[in-house]
């Protein structure tokens, strides 16, 4: 079970979010991940360690490389938690729609 | 435009997440929010300040009370960012489903 504290904390950094956004289009090595940033490879490696221990990425061994990819379980856990807020807001919008619909039909009744 | 750094950082605390979960079922005052926790009202107030400056909650003035509710814009911003990862994972699953479907149909062909 991924820890939501460490997962959200890992997501609070713009470089780590950019790394995840890059991994959304597929697996990548540290070298490939470091390329677009003005950061050293050791700095990227540190960010990857944070993402890995937060359960947001998975690394596999491929010879001397350790390519990274998104970790479905960790991202699902964050997403499921957020779904609760998303659904609550959607319900509020539905209620607002109902109120507006009633107001409109009342208005129509007022027309002589 | 809500800041994703401060939004995700605000979400990294279990009490702040519990406050948001409570607000998902409707507006609440500091007193109502403090009740289920073993935390003082000033501590809850500090958490509310963090959530407010992260753009995740809105407070209004009602006499001497300042009831809180979820802030749609901030939650939407976090959710939209996460949607990108969610969709990337869904695409991977679709690809896996395709591969499995092809494998199954190949298997069927092998049956004499």
């Amino acid at each position: 079970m991924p820890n939501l504290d460490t997962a959200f904390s890992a997501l609070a950094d713009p470089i780590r979010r950019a790394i995840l956004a890059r991994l959304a289009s597929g697996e990548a090595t540290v070298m490939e991940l470091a390329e677009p940033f003005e950061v050293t490879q050791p700095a990227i490696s540190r960010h990857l360690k944070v993402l890995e221990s937060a359960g947001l990425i998975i690394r596999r061994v491929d010879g001397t490389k350790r390519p990274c990819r998104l970790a479905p379980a960790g991202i699902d856990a964050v997403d499921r938690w957020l779904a609760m807020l998303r659904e609550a807001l959607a319900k509020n919008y539905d209620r607002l729609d109902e109120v507006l619909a009633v107001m409109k039909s009342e208005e129509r009744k007022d027309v002589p």
Side-chain angles (χ1 to χ4, degrees), chain A residues 2-112:
Chain A
N3 182 318
L4 286 176
D5 284 18
T6 51
F8 279 118
S9 165
L11 288 167
D13 181 276
I15 293 188
R16 287 198 288 267
R17 285 199 306 278
I19 289 173
L20 293 174
R22 162 64 188 82
L23 295 178
S25 64
E27 206 180 54
T29 62
V30 181
M31 220 154 70
E32 289 165 338
L33 288 170
E35 218 185 33
F37 303 106
E38 291 190 353
V39 214
T40 59
Q41 276 195 30
I44 293 289
S45 286
R46 276 195 296 277
H47 282 306
L48 293 178
K49 251 179 215 155
V50 175
L51 289 170
E52 193 179 15
S53 55
L56 296 173
I57 66 165
I58 298 166
R59 308 188 72 174
R60 64 181 180 88
V61 177
D62 177 17
T64 57
K65 291 180 209 153
R66 297 200 56 209
C68 313
R69 59 189 169 85
L70 297 180
I75 291 163
D76 261 20
V78 169
D79 195 41
R80 255 178 292 134
W81 189 85
L82 218 71
M84 186 253 305
L85 298 191
R86 183 167 60 232
E87 283 155 23
L89 289 177
K91 259 185 216 161
N92 288 350
Y93 281 127
D94 288 350
R95 246 175 286 160
L96 190 63
D97 279 346
E98 271 171 42
V99 172
L100 290 175
V102 170
M103 279 169 70
K104 266 194 180 166
S105 73
E106 301 275 307
E107 260 171 37
R108 240 172 261 140
K109 273 181 215 157
D110 290 346
V111 175

